Amino acid sequence: MSEFNKGFDVGSPDVGAALKLTGRECLAEICRTAKVLFGAHTVTIGSLRVVEAEHLFFEAFSSDAINFDTTGFPTRNTPCFDVLQKGEPIAILDNATKQYPEAAFLRKLKSKAYVGFPLINAKGCEFGVLALKWSEAIAPTLVENVKTAIGPYLHRISDELRRVTTSHAIETMISPVGPSAMQNDEIFRMIVKQAVELTGVQAVVLVKSCGDGPSVFKILAAYSEGTSLEKWVGEDLPYNGSPCGKMIESDMFFQERGVLNDFPHLELLRSVSAEAYLGFGFRDSAGQTIGHIAFVHDRPMSSRACKCQLMRMISSRAGQELQRFDLELERNSMDTALRVRSKLESLGIMAGTIAHDFNNQLAAMIGNTELALMEMSPQHPSQEYLRAAEESMWRARDVIGELMDFAGNNPSAAAEPIALGEIVSSAVSEFIPVLEGDGNIRIQIEGNFPKIMGRRVQLIQILSNLIANALDASKPGKHPGIEIKAGMANCTSIRHEKCLTGHCAEFPDRCVFLEVSDKGRGMDSATAERVFDPYFSTKGVSRGLGLSSVLGLAKRLGIGLTFESKPHRGTVFRLYFSKLAEDTALALGETTPEPEHALPAPQRKSILVVDDEKDVQDVVFKLMKTLGHEVHRASSGEDAIELARTIPALDLAIVDVVMPGMNGVTTVSELRRMNQGLPAILVSGFSQRNLSESLVQDDRTKFLVKPFSIKNIRETVTELVL
C-alpha cells in the first residue's frame, strides 16, 4: 500500500513554477507535479462536453502507465461520472476496476486506486474533473493529504481549465473561415463535425430554408459520431411536421426528451435514436428565416444547454457562414446572369444578322420561284419540282424563325388569352411515351389565377424544351423527379440582375409564374454560363437550339426567366408572365397564308422599290411589273430621294428597313416631305419592334416580313393604294 504523505506545498519549487504559468501549460505542470508528489501513476485534467456527464476531453495529463493515444473517454459507468453527478470529491482506496467493471480507461491503466475532484465553472456547474490514479492501493491518510493539499487550488485550476476550453472552442470555430480557406460544403461539414466533438451530442444538422414562407428546408450538412448521415445531405424536407418548423416563428426550440415520439416519421431522427432536440434559427437582415442548426442527442438533454455559451457560439458561427453562403449564391447568380445576358446579347446580334441576311436570300428565291410558276403552264412537268422547292423554302423560313426567336426578333403572331394548365397538359402529353405514363412528372397548379396573353405554340415549345432538359439531366436509372408548378408570384422580389431576359424590372407587383424543376445532375458555374448557347449540350449530341430558343422566345414574348442550379442538387427554371388576359389587349400580328399564284393585277400605280439587296430588289420589281404597275427602283435611301424628285406622281414606296447609310424609316420620312401622305410598305427580315411608334400606328404604313408571298404583298399594295 502506498504511504506517500507529501503535501501539495505551494512553496515547492515545482508547484510554484506551475502556479506561475497559465492555460494549458499550467494544467500540464500541475498534473506532473501532483503525480510526483503523491506517487500516482496517472494524473489527468479533463473538460466536460456540453451534454452533462457524457464525455471528458483530456486537456492535460501526466502518466507513467501508458502513452495517451486518445483525446478522452465516455464518463458513463466511471468514477468521474459520480464525481460530476455528486459535485464532490470521490476516493477509491482499492479495487477501482471491480467497482467500475465497465470503465475501460481504468482497465487500460490497470488502476486500483482513484481520487477525483470536480471542477466548477463561473455559473457553479461541474464542467471538468481532476483525477489521480494509482496502480496499487492507497492509505486513507494519503487521500486526506491529497484533498487537503489540492482543495485550496481547485478554484485556480478551474479558472485555467475554463480559459483553455474557451480558447480551444474559439480557435476551432474561427479557423478556417470563409471560401478562401475551403469550399462551402467543406465549411458546413467542418462546423457540424466540430459541433459534435465540442458538445458531445449525438448529431448536429445544419439546414437552409427554401421556398416561399419558407415551406421546405435543405440539409446542408449533418454529422453523427459513428453514424453516416451523408445520404440526407441535399434532401428537401417540409417544415410542416418537423421540429425545424418550430423555429420559423421562434429563434429557438428545445425539447428535453421524447422528440422521436412526437416526430416518429422523421427517418433522420430515427437513425440517431433521437431523444432530445435543441435548435437555433437564423434570420437575414429583413428578419426572414434562412435556416437553422439542430443539436440532437440520444438521451435527455439538460435545459442548461439552452444557455450554453459554447452552443450559442457554434450557432452564431454557423449562422454567419449561412448568411455568407446566401450572399455568395446571390452574387454568383447575379454575376452568372449578367455574363449570360451579355454573351447572349452578342450571340443574339450575330444570330439576328445571319437570319436577316438569309431571309433576304429566301425572299429572292421564293419570289423568283413564284414568278416562274405564274408564267409556267399548269401542265408543265417542272411544276411539281418547283412547288416542292417552294415548300422547302417555306420550311427553311421556319428554321430561320428559330434563330430569330433566339435573337428576339421573330415577328409575333396574334397573342391570345391562354390558361397555363392547358399549356402544361399539352407539353407533358408529348413525353408520356418516354415516361411510361405522366406519373413521373408532378404537376402543382396553385389556386386560381388569370390567363396569360401569349402564343400557344411558342409557350408549348418553351415548356417542352424545359421538360426535355429536365429529362436529360436525370441520373441514369433514377426517377427524374420533375416538378411543374404554376401560380401567382410577388414580382417585386425578383432581382433584376437575375432575370436573364431583362423584363422583370418592368413587371407589376403581382404576376403569374411557371416553374420546372428536377433533382438531376445539376450544373456547375461553367456549364451554367453556356447552357443557353445555341446547340450546346453536355450529352455530346446536340438536339438543336434547345434552351437558347427558350431564352429567345421568352425575350420575344416579354416573359421573365430565371434559373438556379447546383451540381448533384438539380435545376430550377422559372418563367414570369406579366401580360395577363384581364388587363392586356390582344396584339395583332401578321400571318403568312399559303401562297396562291396567277392572281389578277390591281389598278396600275406608280411604285418606287428601294432595297440594297439586288436579288430582293429584282424580285419585287418584277413582281410589281407582273401585276401591271409602273415601277421605279433604287439601291439606297439617298438614291431613292433623288429618283423621287423625277417621278411626277408617286403612289407607293416599298422600302427595305435595314440599309447602309439612310435606313428605310428615314427614307420614308424624307419621301413624305416631298409627297405628303405617301403610302409606304416597310419590309425587313426583322420584326417591327424597332420601328417608331408613329410609323407602326400610321394607317399609311404597312409592315411585311421577309420572306413574303406574292399574295401577301399584292393584298398589302391593294389595301394601301386602292
Side-chain angles (χ1 to χ4, degrees):
M1 178 177 292
S2 177
E3 295 294 339
F4 275 83
N5 289 305
K6 295 180 181 179
F8 201 44
D9 184 5
V10 74
S12 164
D14 289 338
V15 174
L19 295 177
K20 289 179 182 178
L21 300 173
T22 59
R24 201 178 299 277
E25 291 181 349
C26 176
L27 298 181
E29 190 61 26
I30 288 172
C31 290
R32 188 192 68 78
T33 303
K35 180 174 74 70
V36 173
L37 291 176
F38 300 115
H41 70 63
T42 300
V43 179
T44 60
I45 296 177
S47 63
L48 185 66
R49 298 302 175 89
V50 170
V51 181
E52 55 187 333
E54 291 292 345
H55 197 94
L56 278 174
F57 181 86
F58 292 133
E59 303 293 353
F61 58 86
S62 180
S63 177
D64 296 330
I66 61 170
N67 292 322
F68 273 62
D69 57 357
T70 180
T71 58
F73 64 94
T75 61
R76 290 273 177 177
N77 303 311
T78 72
C80 291
F81 184 87
D82 292 337
V83 170
L84 292 163
Q85 289 293 301
K86 295 178 180 180
E88 59 186 32
I90 286 179
I92 304 171
L93 303 182
D94 197 4
N95 296 320
T97 53
K98 291 184 179 180
Q99 291 188 43
Y100 295 92
E102 297 182 25
F105 191 59
L106 287 180
R107 293 200 309 271
K108 186 174 183 178
L109 293 172
K110 298 179 181 180
S111 301
K112 289 187 177 182
Y114 172 96
V115 176
F117 298 87
L119 301 175
I120 312 300
N121 64 18
K123 297 182 179 179
C125 299
E126 299 79 12
F127 81 112
V129 175
L130 167 61
L132 295 85
K133 306 171 186 70
W134 291 264
S135 58
E136 57 185 30
I138 60 174
T141 54
L142 179 57
V143 174
E144 292 304 317
N145 245 353
V146 172
K147 289 181 179 180
T148 301
I150 292 181
Y153 303 104
L154 288 176
H155 180 73
R156 168 68 187 279
I157 296 171
S158 296
D159 286 344
E160 295 302 328
L161 178 60
R162 185 168 61 251
R163 181 180 292 112
V164 168
T165 55
T166 301
S167 298
H168 172 69
I170 293 173
E171 289 172 3
T172 300
M173 296 313 298
I174 67 173
S175 180
V177 176
S180 60
M182 57 176 65
Q183 298 298 315
N184 289 315
D185 291 347
E186 295 174 327
I187 292 175
F188 297 142
R189 284 197 298 268
M190 177 200 71
I191 288 175
V192 295
K193 184 175 185 294
Q194 290 176 345
V196 170
E197 293 173 350
L198 288 170
T199 63
V201 296
Q202 181 65 20
V204 174
V205 181
L206 179 63
V207 309
K208 180 184 184 303
S209 301
C210 306
D212 298 330
S215 56
V216 297
F217 61 87
K218 184 187 294 291
I219 297 177
L220 298 178
Y223 182 79
S224 176
E225 193 73 45
T227 303
S228 174
L229 302 181
E230 283 298 314
K231 68 177 181 178
W232 277 285
V233 174
E235 286 293 309
D236 288 342
L237 300 173
Y239 268 112
N240 189 28
S242 77
C244 307
K246 305 288 187 180
M247 283 176 285
I248 294 180
E249 301 299 332
S250 174
D251 291 336
M252 187 184 76
F253 172 68
F254 174 66
Q255 187 164 341
E256 182 179 358
R257 64 181 70 239
V259 67
L260 193 54
N261 294 333
D262 292 345
F263 303 97
H265 59 287
L266 296 179
E267 293 184 21
L268 192 154
L269 294 181
R270 283 207 307 271
S271 71
V272 295
S273 303
E275 177 67 19
Y277 182 101
L278 174 60
F280 295 94
F282 313 128
R283 299 182 184 275
D284 60 17
S285 57
Q288 298 296 314
T289 299
I290 61 172
H292 66 269
I293 189 170
F295 300 86
V296 183
H297 200 46
D298 58 354
R299 285 183 287 277
M301 189 185 299
S302 169
S303 59
R304 286 180 4 200
C306 299
K307 299 179 181 180
C308 173
Q309 292 302 312
L310 177 58
M311 277 189 165
R312 290 188 176 274
M313 182 190 302
I314 294 170
S315 300
S316 176
R317 164 71 191 280
Q320 291 171 3
E321 288 298 334
L322 191 56
Q323 288 189 32
R324 182 195 57 76
F325 176 62
D326 269 357
L327 291 173
E328 186 177 317
L329 283 180
E330 184 78 10
R331 184 179 65 251
N332 290 343
S333 179
M334 290 188 293
D335 289 346
T336 298
L338 287 172
R339 286 194 297 270
V340 169
R341 282 170 58 184
S342 177
K343 180 170 66 174
L344 290 176
E345 285 175 4
S346 300
L347 289 172
I349 293 172
M350 180 181 71
T353 302
I354 293 172
H356 173 268
D357 292 346
F358 198 73
N359 274 336
N360 278 331
Q361 301 306 313
L362 277 180
M365 289 187 284
I366 290 174
N368 281 311
T369 302
E370 289 189 330
L371 287 171
L373 288 168
M374 288 174 62
E375 296 180 2
M376 189 178 292
S377 167
Q379 289 75 36
H380 195 286
S382 296
Q383 277 266 354
E384 176 184 354
Y385 307 123
L386 286 176
R387 290 189 183 279
E390 184 186 21
E391 290 176 4
S392 296
M393 294 173 201
W394 286 112
R395 286 196 295 271
R397 180 201 62 175
D398 295 336
V399 174
I400 293 302
E402 290 191 40
L403 278 178
M404 301 294 280
D405 285 334
F406 174 71
N409 282 315
N410 200 16
S412 62
E416 58 180 339
I418 299 172
L420 269 184
E422 298 175 4
I423 299 298
V424 172
S425 298
S426 298
V428 170
S429 65
E430 298 178 15
F431 297 91
I432 289 179
V434 178
L435 296 170
E436 298 180 354
D438 59 358
N440 288 321
I441 297 182
R442 182 185 175 197
I443 300 174
Q444 184 178 346
I445 307 296
E446 300 175 354
N448 296 320
F449 49 87
K451 292 183 177 181
I452 63 170
M453 297 301 300
R455 295 171 59 186
R456 179 182 176 83
V457 173
Q458 291 191 342
L459 289 175
I460 292 175
Q461 181 182 349
I462 288 175
L463 185 53
S464 297
N465 272 315
L466 293 179
I467 295 174
N469 179 75
L471 283 173
D472 283 345
S474 301
K475 299 173 183 177
K478 295 290 185 71
H479 191 288
I482 300 172
E483 188 170 3
I484 301 174
K485 294 181 182 179
M488 295 297 295
N490 182 2
C491 292
T492 58
S493 63
I494 309 170
R495 294 296 298 271
H496 172 57
E497 294 87 347
K498 294 173 65 174
C499 183
L500 297 174
T501 59
H503 296 308
C504 300
E506 305 167 359
F507 280 7
D509 291 346
R510 301 287 290 170
C511 58
V512 173
F513 78 88
L514 177 64
E515 178 182 295
V516 179
S517 62
D518 65 73
K519 297 185 182 298
R521 297 180 177 85
M523 292 177 263
D524 57 24
S525 58
T527 304
E529 289 187 24
R530 297 192 60 198
V531 70
F532 292 104
D533 289 3
Y535 303 102
F536 174 74
S537 173
T538 58
K539 296 276 188 177
V541 179
S542 170
R543 296 184 179 178
L545 291 175
L547 291 176
S548 64
S549 67
V550 170
L551 182 64
L553 287 170
K555 288 169 63 179
R556 174 63 186 151
L557 298 175
I559 301 170
L561 172 63
T562 65
F563 93 102
E564 295 182 9
S565 186
K566 195 170 184 181
H568 313 300
R569 296 187 182 178
T571 302
V572 179
F573 288 91
R574 258 203 173 198
L575 301 165
Y576 296 91
F577 304 88
S578 64
K579 299 177 181 178
L580 309 181
E582 59 188 11
D583 59 5
T584 306
L586 292 178
L588 297 178
E590 295 76 23
T591 57
T592 304
E594 290 298 319
E596 297 182 12
H597 308 299
L599 297 173
Q603 182 180 349
R604 180 180 176 86
K605 296 292 180 181
S606 176
I607 297 175
L608 173 61
V609 176
V610 187
D611 200 309
D612 62 312
E613 291 286 340
K614 187 175 185 306
D615 291 342
V616 179
Q617 183 194 111
D618 287 344
V619 166
V620 178
F621 179 85
K622 293 174 186 175
L623 181 56
M624 293 298 103
K625 279 284 191 182
T626 302
L627 295 176
H629 297 297
E630 176 187 344
V631 188
H632 313 273
R633 57 179 172 178
S635 298
S636 68
E638 292 82 359
D639 291 346
I641 301 303
E642 293 300 320
L643 180 59
R645 292 192 175 98
T646 66
I647 302 173
L650 186 61
D651 298 309
L652 175 68
I654 302 175
V655 184
D656 184 28
V657 173
V658 181
M659 296 186 295
M662 185 182 294
N663 63 38
V665 175
T666 304
T667 300
V668 170
S669 297
E670 291 297 320
L671 289 173
R672 284 176 177 169
R673 288 179 182 273
M674 297 183 290
N675 188 342
Q676 189 173 6
L678 176 69
I681 300 174
L682 289 167
V683 295
S684 177
F686 293 134
S687 71
Q688 65 185 38
R689 283 190 309 162
N690 297 325
L691 300 184
S692 67
E693 200 67 27
S694 59
L695 278 176
V696 173
Q697 296 177 353
D698 190 348
D699 291 339
R700 301 169 302 166
T701 307
K702 297 296 178 182
F703 184 82
L704 277 181
V705 179
K706 299 176 184 177
F708 43 78
S709 67
I710 290 178
K711 185 173 183 291
N712 286 151
I713 194 167
R714 181 186 182 281
E715 288 179 348
T716 305
V717 170
T718 301
E719 182 180 355
L720 281 173
V721 298
L722 293 182

